[in-house]
Amino acid sequence: MDKPVATTRIQKRNVSIISEAALEVFSTYGFRGATVDQIAREAGLSKPNLLYYFPSKEAIHSHLLTTLMDVWLAPLRDLDASGEPLEEVLAYVRRKLELSRQRPRESRLFANEIVQGAPHILELLSTELKDLVDEKAAVIAGWMDAGRLAKAHPYHLIFSIWSLTQHYADFDVQVRAVLGPKVKDPTREAGEYLEVLFTRMLKVD
Amino acid sequence: MDKPVATTRIQKRNVSIISEAALEVFSTYGFRGATVDQIAREAGLSKPNLLYYFPSKEAIHSHLLTTLMDVWLAPLRDLDASGEPLEEVLAYVRRKLELSRQRPRESRLFANEIVQGAPHILELLSTELKDLVDEKAAVIAGWMDAGRLAKAHPYHLIFSIWSLTQHYADFDVQVRAVLGPKVKDPTREAGEYLEVLFTRMLKVD
DNA sequence: GTCTATACTGCGATAGAC
DNA sequence: GTCTATCGCAGTATAGAC
């Protein structure tokens, strides 16, 4: 809803600048906590000028959430039914953790939205997201039935991958506060830990 | 900071009613998204009357966060160095998951705060929380060194317990959207899954 | 101690000049 | 297509009657 006007090159460029600024602000302060003024300042535009490209604050937010959904789900889409099971799952974990490291703002944007009850994307969750998870959970269940992966609840396996990888983006301040300033790259440690965790969990003896 | 006035019974009762209402509203909308009007309505008081008990919106929020911190850390405090290692960890997971089930609003209150950079409790995280985790991570490391628990990064083990258990409170709408309406109690399924996960992760052969 | 009324601020959005 | 100016509203907090 409320797509931005974007036909000329200048317009496309400004829409992209605004999106970048809005991602920065929304991911830090949440929807209500963010102000259009802040986003405009971050984007280097005046407030009315910004509202020329997007009709409202809500429109910017919606635009971000929907366009980012694809990026967010790509790692799961890439889970390949014809691959080697354990390696496929571990590769998924790696891709997801890499996404948390490289795009923590996107992760926090979603986290803010979902913690508050997903008012803007509830529909997407029970359609697009559910369909994809249904499909991939079936693949994983197939591997388990074939004895190629240790048995476990496939849906909760996927939830645990989301939870553990996104934790290092969403709760970054807490992780750093607990580990102390000496640990420069918590996500690298996390990668090693998660590799061990899911191998022990899923490897067939 | 800014403790509420609470000497008489009526005052104590109202402070408690306000806290309950504020928890409901802050956990749903975050700090900025919540309004004093909403909290007052939820508490059945007029706005000025509410602001007689707490000097400001921020004071209510601080009061909630600091008083709830103890409840939140209790399960980890109860991890007993003289107990049987695997059983102690599993019991911790169970207590934490039970807390997510019974007090999802508290979990979301913290999640909102930390996702947005923990502006109000950063200090607490790097002192009280860090000290407790340091202590318990040492206990776990001791168990691993003694060969009573499979080796793994103790800090990230604790992070993974937080992450996995709180996920079912903080991301409840997403979990339910994906599982569909037929699953009435995702947390019960999660309990079984997590039992398996941490047993396979930590059991010594 | 609790209410009504209100001061004051900051925000989202629009009007209209250029 | 971008600006200045401003409207209208919602929000926090306070003054002062009862």
Side-chain angles (χ1 to χ4, degrees):
Chain A
M1 55 127 137
D2 294 321
K3 274 183 205 165
V5 279
T7 44
T8 77
R9 262 164 309 178
I10 303 177
Q11 285 170 334
K12 281 184 183 165
R13 184 163 168 279
N14 276 340
V15 164
S16 136
I17 288 176
I18 294 170
S19 298
E20 161 65 25
L23 174 60
E24 182 69 29
V25 177
F26 281 134
S27 67
T28 310
Y29 300 101
F31 179 73
R32 296 279 310 257
T35 72
V36 177
D37 268 312
Q38 264 180 306
I39 300 172
R41 205 178 317 127
E42 184 85 22
L45 297 170
S46 70
K47 184 161 59 167
N49 194 7
L50 185 150
L51 288 169
Y52 165 77
Y53 290 102
F54 289 86
S56 69
K57 177 183 176 181
E58 182 135 14
I60 312 175
H61 191 245
S62 279
H63 175 70
L64 279 184
L65 281 177
T66 51
T67 58
L68 288 177
M69 189 63 103
D70 275 344
V71 177
W72 216 239
L73 295 185
L76 182 53
R77 287 219 171 81
D78 291 348
L79 187 90
D80 181 5
S82 64
E84 201 282 310
L86 180 57
E87 186 46 42
E88 280 298 320
V89 174
L90 291 179
Y92 174 45
V93 172
R94 276 179 228 120
R95 286 193 296 270
K96 204 78 178 63
L97 190 63
E98 194 55 24
L99 212 52
S100 275
R101 189 213 300 263
Q102 289 183 353
R103 312 187 76 149
R105 296 175 307 174
E106 281 84 343
S107 188
R108 281 194 281 266
L109 183 75
F110 279 113
N112 265 308
E113 171 70 9
I114 292 178
V115 167
Q116 302 193 7
H120 305 96
I121 53 164
L122 197 50
E123 191 64 19
L124 270 181
L125 297 184
S126 39
T127 54
E128 195 180 345
L129 178 64
K130 180 181 179 6
D131 292 345
L132 177 62
V133 175
D134 282 344
E135 178 199 332
K136 297 303 183 179
V139 170
I140 292 171
W143 286 335
M144 290 173 179
D145 286 341
R148 303 177 67 196
L149 217 52
K151 293 219 182 224
H153 198 303
Y155 285 85
H156 290 274
L157 173 60
I158 292 173
F159 292 154
S160 65
I161 294 173
W162 292 347
S163 155
L164 288 166
T165 55
Q166 291 173 198
H167 187 76
Y168 291 93
D170 303 342
F171 288 72
D172 180 64
V173 277
Q174 178 174 272
V175 167
R176 289 180 188 276
V178 168
L179 290 178
K182 283 200 295 189
V183 180
K184 299 298 178 197
D185 189 0
T187 317
R188 198 191 47 73
E189 292 183 0
E192 296 165 7
Y193 174 81
L194 294 182
E195 196 92 12
V196 172
L197 177 77
F198 284 109
T199 302
R200 289 184 192 164
M201 174 69 179
L202 294 175
K203 189 162 197 170
V204 284
D205 304 313
Chain B
M1 58 130 132
D2 296 319
K3 275 185 206 165
V5 279
T7 43
T8 76
R9 262 163 309 180
I10 303 176
Q11 285 170 332
K12 281 185 186 166
R13 183 162 166 281
N14 276 340
V15 164
S16 135
I17 287 175
I18 293 169
S19 298
E20 162 65 26
L23 175 60
E24 181 70 28
V25 177
F26 281 133
S27 66
T28 310
Y29 301 100
F31 179 73
R32 295 281 308 258
T35 71
V36 176
D37 266 314
Q38 267 178 305
I39 299 172
R41 206 179 316 128
E42 184 84 24
L45 295 171
S46 72
K47 185 160 58 168
N49 194 6
L50 184 150
L51 289 169
Y52 165 77
Y53 290 102
F54 289 87
S56 70
K57 177 183 176 180
E58 182 136 13
I60 311 175
H61 191 245
S62 278
H63 175 70
L64 279 183
L65 280 176
T66 50
T67 59
L68 288 177
M69 190 62 105
D70 275 344
V71 177
W72 216 241
L73 295 185
L76 182 53
R77 287 220 170 81
D78 291 348
L79 187 89
D80 182 4
S82 64
E84 200 283 308
L86 181 58
E87 187 46 44
E88 280 298 320
V89 174
L90 291 178
Y92 173 45
V93 172
R94 276 181 227 119
R95 286 194 297 269
K96 204 78 179 61
L97 190 63
E98 193 56 25
L99 212 52
S100 274
R101 189 212 301 263
Q102 289 183 353
R103 313 187 77 148
R105 297 176 307 175
E106 282 84 344
S107 187
R108 281 193 283 266
L109 182 75
F110 279 113
N112 265 309
E113 171 70 9
I114 292 178
V115 168
Q116 302 194 6
H120 306 95
I121 53 164
L122 197 52
E123 191 63 21
L124 270 181
L125 297 185
S126 39
T127 54
E128 195 180 346
L129 178 64
K130 180 178 178 9
D131 291 346
L132 178 61
V133 175
D134 282 343
E135 178 198 332
K136 298 303 184 179
V139 169
I140 292 171
W143 286 335
M144 290 173 180
D145 287 340
R148 303 177 68 195
L149 218 52
K151 293 221 182 221
H153 198 303
Y155 284 86
H156 290 273
L157 173 61
I158 291 173
F159 293 153
S160 66
I161 294 172
W162 291 348
S163 158
L164 289 165
T165 54
Q166 290 173 197
H167 188 77
Y168 290 94
D170 302 343
F171 288 71
D172 180 63
V173 278
Q174 178 174 271
V175 167
R176 289 181 188 276
V178 168
L179 290 178
K182 283 201 297 190
V183 179
K184 299 298 177 198
D185 189 0
T187 317
R188 200 192 43 75
E189 292 183 359
E192 295 165 7
Y193 174 81
L194 295 181
E195 196 91 11
V196 171
L197 177 77
F198 284 108
T199 302
R200 289 185 192 162
M201 174 70 180
L202 295 175
K203 189 162 195 170
V204 284
D205 305 312

